[in-house]
Amino acid sequence: MVRSKLRVWSVSLACAATLVVVASAQPIAQDPPPAAAQDPVADPAAGRGGRGGAAQAPRPYAQVVTAAFKTSEGIFKVHRGLVNGTDTVLFEIPKNELDKDFVWNVSIKKTTLGVGFGGQAVSSRVVRWVKRGDRILLLGIDYSTRAGDDKEVAQAVADANYPSIIRTMPVDAYAPNGDAVINATAFFMEGVTEFQARGAVGGRGLAADRSFLEKAVSFPDNINVESTLTFTGADNAGGGGGGGRGAGAAGMRGASGTVLVHHSLMKLPEKPMMSRNFDQRVGFNTEALTDFGTDEHRSVNEQIITRFRLDKKDANAAVSEPVKPIVFYVDPATPAKWVPFVKRGIESWQPAFEAAGFKNAIVAKDAPTNDPNWSAEDARYSIVRWVPTPTEAQSLIRDPRSGEILSASVDVYPNVATFGATYYFVQAGPLDKRATQLPLPDDLSGELLRFQVAHGVGHALGFPHNLKASSEYTITQIRDPKFVKEMGFVPSIMDDARFNYVSQPEDGIDAADLIPKVGPYDKFAVTWGYKPVPAAKTPDQEKPALDQIVKEQETKTYLRFSTEGAAASDPGDNAEAVGDSDAVQATTLGMKNLSRVAAIMFKATSTKVGDPWDDLEAVYGRMVSQWGTEMGHVVKIIGGLDSQQLHIGQAGGVRFKTVPKLRQMEALQYVLKNAFEVPAFMIDKEVLRRIESGGAVARVRAAQVGVLTSLLQSARIDRMTEQLTIDGAAIAYSPLQFLADVRAGVWSEIGKPGTAINIYRRNLQRAYLDIMNQKLNGPGSSSEIRMLAKGELRALDRQLQSAVGAAGLEENTRRHLSDSREEIAAILDPRVSHTITDPAAAAAAGGRGRGGVR
């Protein structure tokens, strides 16, 4: 059980004294100013002076903050101007903001192709400005350890958690009121290691002549600074960049790449919110902590959940308005026709918060257009951004002391690949008359955007993907229009399922219910995470009330979350899955819909006369990917363990139970029959000859090899070995029998003398040999797996020896079987050269040589 005893935060703060901080940080104890000759001086990039010499005394304010600077008023005064032709940023730090905690986030806001991605996080750390003589120290504060009430333990933890000094900067000047002025330029121009972005984008050096400060703005609680930075990745790159290796760095296309780096320095609340301890039975993102102050006389790893702060206006009311609602602003760059859908996506979470006791807890607002003090970059505000991006993204500013989410940014765009039109057409096109052609109509595209926003906001509220809950709906339920209308076809919008690809046209599901919505699990999770427990004064005191909420999972199994430590072994814990309570039946139904998609895709994508066949190619590619995804859900049954996150005292027994052998065997037979025989709908000449001159065989091979590789995964075989050992042959599927069944299915033709083997099956069988070679001769395989692989190859070779001599065997097949025997010999003994005398077989094997002469 993950516990959290939030008693005393303990951090060592001063050079001469150590303070134990209760709930919030206290000012650092300040040493007397040292003598000038002893005063270390800052790096030149931070302002004046150089290493090894005495720091210069502060100068008059007017000589430092000259008329060349423009000032932004806020939590600090931020001055920006030119000094000797160099763009410079000065921070004027108020005395009352010293010794306070700030969170400093660095992210990539914009990027060139191949250099990171927009919204990419670079670093996030808690810092504190401390004055020491005529210097300002920037300290790095770590709240990942804490202590209990015991004074000696707290002292020991504090001594072991002494704050690092990230930077020391001379005070350039004092304002008339005594506030210190420092040169902060180095932080934003890669001069401070802890805040550098180059590592995140594969850069090696900075091209100074191609890097600029873009903005420096101060707000009441935060400061935002942006800089355009050009990184080099090649030797002799101009502009002051560092050396490279003669080619672009990892990720960079060419010798350099330019990014817009965003820094946000935000003050943490003076009084942290009371944290809530994480429970593995409910899905929340977390902050990790180590408590050294428990009564168990050992360190305990704990986690607290991340969430927004919500307090009731009326603490006695069952449902109350919040003191401060969660407000998401709509990016003013959002086209007007999409704004209503964005707002609906945000506010679709309101019913979940009502279940937790809050009315209008989450609100969508237009960004102010006539308020000069409002900015989308102001870290006080949460916003849904309109960002042309191929992927979903969220970024959060959190208080690590309590897990409080201070603000969030959610990036959206209508054609995000995982939410967009191609996905919908392939998964739900046969069920929705609006999707009979591409592009989709605006009303449907708007609903996809609403779903995308709601899903992204869910992440911003603290929720990870819940892949487990969907496996608790039966196939009958997700095909029942009444059930789906009330409960959704998946219990959570965070399930990472897209659209209802299992339902059939004859089911009559309302098209509005083919798209996920905030469901019963989401209401349950919001209630557990956000509902106040008024009588509790500490996180530990909340536990009984929260445990009562979790008990709902015992009778409502669709409220469950992924099992801790399942390690991808649970066949009911799948991404992109609908109906995985019975993946065989769900995939059988899904294949029917894919055949329907194949039948309509040409017509649906050929309406734009004069355009190329890009839509047809995209739909075909997505259809093949969907085929592989659904087959993968069936594969996961084999060697799987059904699981449930159970804690001490709960009924239900063990957390992991081996999937019964007959169910595993049924899944394998489905895969052998359906995944390893090419479906006719993939091989449509009218489609293939319009999208490519060649490659259809390779596409099919790649799709089938993906399934076969997953099927023969070493981790799966190792699990099956352990299951047989622990559960016995009556329950477990023996690896020996499993591998023999796979061999019989992949090489089924050799059991029927004289049967021809087509190109698709030959490719599959070659892939089988490649996989077995990897298990026998590649790194990482266990001795058990190598033993099993050798036995399978020897058994296969005996079968091939008989099959290759069959009368009337088609010539391509005969050569393929001969080549396969040569391959097996090379795999079993890669030190021996094996000369192929058959020229046709040699040509077929060309380029695949494995230790023998090819």
Side-chain angles (χ1 to χ4, degrees):
M1 180 172 65
V2 178
R3 301 167 336 207
S4 180
K5 299 181 181 298
L6 194 61
R7 297 167 177 153
V8 178
W9 294 102
S10 176
V11 179
S12 174
L13 301 175
C15 296
T18 300
L19 301 182
V20 176
V21 184
V22 181
S24 62
Q26 301 298 318
I28 188 169
Q30 180 177 312
D31 284 348
Q38 298 172 328
D39 195 12
V41 294
D43 189 298
R48 303 169 285 104
R51 297 185 186 277
Q56 297 179 9
R59 293 178 289 156
Y61 184 81
Q63 291 182 15
V64 176
V65 186
T66 67
F69 285 88
K70 291 185 178 180
T71 300
S72 178
E73 300 270 0
I75 192 165
F76 298 177
K77 286 184 179 179
V78 175
H79 311 285
R80 181 184 173 194
L82 291 176
V83 176
N84 298 324
T86 300
D87 208 349
T88 302
V89 173
L90 305 178
F91 280 3
E92 186 172 320
I93 306 175
K95 293 186 292 294
N96 62 355
E97 298 301 344
L98 295 170
D99 307 306
K100 302 292 178 65
D101 285 349
F102 289 75
V103 61
W104 193 318
N105 277 22
V106 184
S107 60
I108 306 298
K109 184 176 179 180
K110 297 180 181 179
T111 182
T112 48
L113 287 174
V115 185
F117 56 89
Q120 177 182 357
V122 173
S123 65
S124 180
R125 63 183 68 240
V126 177
V127 299
R128 188 180 299 156
W129 304 95
V130 174
K131 187 173 183 294
R132 183 179 174 88
D134 285 334
R135 293 176 297 171
I136 295 293
L137 279 58
L138 183 67
L139 306 182
I141 308 299
D142 188 344
Y143 281 111
S144 64
T145 61
R146 59 191 179 189
D149 298 325
D150 185 279
K151 183 178 179 181
E152 287 74 19
V153 175
Q155 181 68 52
V157 171
D159 290 345
N161 192 17
Y162 197 61
S164 61
I165 301 174
I166 296 173
R167 195 77 168 180
T168 177
M169 293 145 286
V171 175
D172 284 358
Y174 288 103
N177 64 0
D179 293 345
V181 178
I182 62 169
N183 188 330
T185 310
F187 291 106
F188 314 110
M189 302 303 293
E190 296 289 286
V192 180
T193 302
E194 287 82 353
F195 302 99
Q196 289 177 350
R198 71 183 70 184
V201 298
R204 298 184 59 81
L206 182 72
D209 65 335
R210 290 177 277 162
S211 300
F212 317 94
L213 281 168
E214 297 289 354
K215 65 166 65 173
V217 186
S218 188
F219 299 101
D221 292 321
N222 65 287
I223 296 166
N224 286 355
V225 181
E226 291 181 357
S227 51
T228 292
L229 304 179
T230 300
F231 297 107
T232 58
D235 288 326
N236 302 317
R245 298 177 181 172
M252 294 171 57
R253 300 184 182 182
S256 62
T258 301
V259 297
L260 181 64
V261 180
H262 180 84
H263 294 254
S264 180
L265 179 64
M266 186 175 187
K267 185 179 179 181
L268 294 180
E270 295 280 359
K271 182 179 180 181
M273 174 185 75
M274 189 173 83
S275 61
R276 180 159 290 184
N277 295 343
F278 175 57
D279 188 317
Q280 293 163 326
R281 295 169 292 183
V282 188
F284 263 90
N285 296 322
T286 63
E287 295 278 355
L289 306 165
T290 302
D291 189 350
F292 289 90
T294 71
D295 295 332
E296 300 174 44
H297 302 292
R298 65 184 177 93
S299 61
V300 177
N301 293 326
E302 301 172 347
Q303 298 175 72
I304 57 176
I305 66 171
T306 61
R307 56 179 180 158
F308 281 88
R309 185 191 298 239
L310 277 182
D311 299 304
K312 287 185 175 181
K313 282 184 178 179
D314 184 352
N316 297 318
V319 180
S320 168
E321 296 268 354
V323 173
K324 181 183 177 182
I326 302 166
V327 176
F328 274 89
Y329 289 92
V330 180
D331 189 339
T334 307
K337 69 177 180 178
W338 303 123
V339 169
F341 296 101
V342 172
K343 288 182 174 179
R344 283 176 52 199
I346 296 167
E347 294 186 347
S348 65
W349 283 93
Q350 285 186 354
F353 281 97
E354 287 177 8
F358 291 97
K359 183 179 180 182
N360 298 322
I362 183 167
V363 179
K365 289 187 177 182
D366 293 315
T369 56
N370 55 1
D371 182 354
N373 296 317
W374 192 92
S375 170
E377 307 307 327
D378 189 337
R380 293 175 297 168
Y381 303 129
S382 295
I383 188 167
V384 175
R385 295 182 180 277
W386 192 259
V387 182
T389 174
T391 57
E392 57 173 308
Q394 305 83 31
S395 59
L396 308 176
I397 297 179
R398 297 183 298 223
D399 183 347
R401 304 168 303 175
S402 64
E404 180 182 357
I405 299 171
L406 303 171
S407 66
S409 174
V410 178
D411 294 348
V412 298
Y413 204 65
N415 65 349
V416 167
T418 52
F419 294 92
T422 304
Y423 250 92
Y424 188 79
F425 179 83
V426 168
Q427 291 191 345
L431 311 173
D432 187 347
K433 294 179 180 179
R434 297 173 298 174
T436 55
Q437 66 180 49
L438 295 174
L440 301 177
D442 281 355
D443 62 331
L444 178 51
S445 295
E447 285 302 311
L448 301 185
L449 179 60
R450 185 270 309 162
F451 163 44
Q452 180 191 350
V453 170
H455 184 89
V457 168
H459 284 309
L461 292 171
F463 301 116
H465 290 139
N466 178 3
L467 308 181
K468 177 69 174 177
S470 64
S471 66
E472 300 300 326
Y473 280 180
T474 68
I475 301 296
T476 299
Q477 286 173 327
I478 61 178
R479 296 184 65 185
D480 180 348
K482 183 179 178 182
F483 179 88
V484 170
K485 178 67 69 177
E486 180 184 354
M487 303 286 284
F489 66 90
V490 285
S492 173
I493 202 167
M494 306 309 299
D495 188 271
D496 205 25
R498 305 303 170 189
F499 311 108
N500 190 347
Y501 61 79
V502 171
S503 176
Q504 301 293 292
E506 62 268 22
D507 296 338
I509 301 290
D510 186 343
D513 297 326
L514 298 173
I515 303 173
K517 54 192 175 186
V518 172
Y521 171 82
D522 304 311
K523 295 175 183 178
F524 161 79
V526 169
T527 298
W528 184 91
Y530 281 88
K531 186 176 182 178
V533 183
K537 304 303 179 186
T538 69
D540 285 345
Q541 291 176 10
E542 291 185 322
K543 190 176 188 311
L546 298 179
D547 282 349
Q548 282 298 118
I549 296 172
V550 173
K551 281 188 176 180
E552 286 190 74
Q553 293 179 337
E554 295 176 7
T555 55
K556 300 175 181 177
T557 59
Y558 52 80
L559 300 182
R560 292 175 183 170
F561 187 72
S562 301
T563 305
E564 183 72 15
S569 65
D570 188 338
D573 199 5
N574 293 307
E576 306 290 351
V578 177
D580 43 346
S581 59
D582 186 345
V584 171
Q585 187 182 1
T587 301
T588 299
L589 294 168
M591 291 302 110
K592 289 183 177 181
N593 276 334
L594 283 187
S595 67
R596 295 179 179 113
V597 169
I600 65 175
M601 72 166 67
F602 177 75
K603 182 179 180 181
T605 58
S606 60
T607 58
K608 295 185 286 185
V609 177
D611 280 6
W613 295 98
D614 294 348
D615 285 347
L616 180 61
E617 184 173 7
V619 168
Y620 179 81
R622 176 90 286 282
M623 181 187 71
V624 174
S625 296
Q626 181 68 24
W627 177 90
T629 295
E630 294 185 38
M631 290 297 172
H633 298 156
V634 180
V635 168
K636 201 168 177 182
I637 296 171
I638 303 160
L641 295 107
D642 293 320
S643 71
Q644 180 187 352
Q645 184 64 33
L646 293 168
H647 286 188
I648 296 171
Q650 279 189 276
V654 297
R655 290 196 298 144
F656 302 103
K657 298 178 181 178
T658 296
V659 172
K661 177 169 64 177
L662 291 179
R663 185 176 162 210
Q664 294 188 50
M665 295 175 69
E666 176 194 23
L668 177 61
Q669 291 308 311
Y670 182 88
V671 170
L672 294 174
K673 181 179 179 181
N674 294 279
F676 298 150
E677 296 292 342
V678 182
F681 63 74
M682 276 194 195
I683 312 301
D684 185 340
K685 179 179 178 180
E686 292 299 313
V687 171
L688 294 173
R689 287 302 187 220
R690 282 177 168 82
I691 65 175
E692 57 193 3
S693 59
V697 171
R699 281 180 188 260
V700 172
R701 182 184 190 279
Q704 291 186 324
V705 168
V707 176
L708 182 61
T709 301
S710 177
L711 181 65
L712 293 175
Q713 208 174 45
S714 294
R716 187 183 317 283
I717 299 170
D718 282 338
R719 275 201 311 272
M720 296 175 78
T721 300
E722 183 171 298
Q723 290 169 2
L724 181 65
T725 302
I726 293 174
D727 297 313
I731 295 175
Y733 192 3
S734 160
L736 275 174
Q737 183 181 351
F738 162 68
L739 289 171
D741 290 345
V742 171
R743 170 167 43 91
V746 171
W747 296 87
S748 60
E749 292 89 348
I750 63 177
K752 304 170 186 176
T755 302
I757 305 175
N758 64 35
I759 182 60
Y760 301 110
R761 294 283 295 179
R762 295 200 297 269
N763 277 339
L764 178 71
Q765 291 162 4
R766 288 164 184 149
Y768 174 93
L769 295 178
D770 287 339
I771 293 168
M772 284 298 179
N773 175 59
Q774 187 64 27
K775 296 197 179 305
L776 196 56
N777 300 312
S781 289
S782 65
S783 298
E784 185 75 11
I785 288 178
R786 287 196 296 271
M787 174 268 290
L788 292 169
K790 282 182 183 178
E792 287 305 304
L793 288 171
R794 288 167 178 156
L796 176 59
D797 187 58
R798 290 192 294 271
Q799 291 177 292
L800 291 172
Q801 185 177 15
S802 299
V804 75
L809 192 63
E810 187 263 339
E811 183 62 16
N812 280 323
T813 300
R814 185 186 67 79
R815 295 186 182 191
H816 166 65
L817 297 180
S818 295
D819 180 54
S820 297
R821 292 201 67 206
E822 297 262 0
E823 290 285 294
I824 291 172
I827 294 169
L828 290 172
D829 189 358
R831 297 167 298 176
V832 178
S833 297
H834 299 275
T835 304
I836 298 175
T837 56
D838 186 327
R848 295 187 295 119
R850 246 191 305 265
V853 175
R854 289 291 176 257

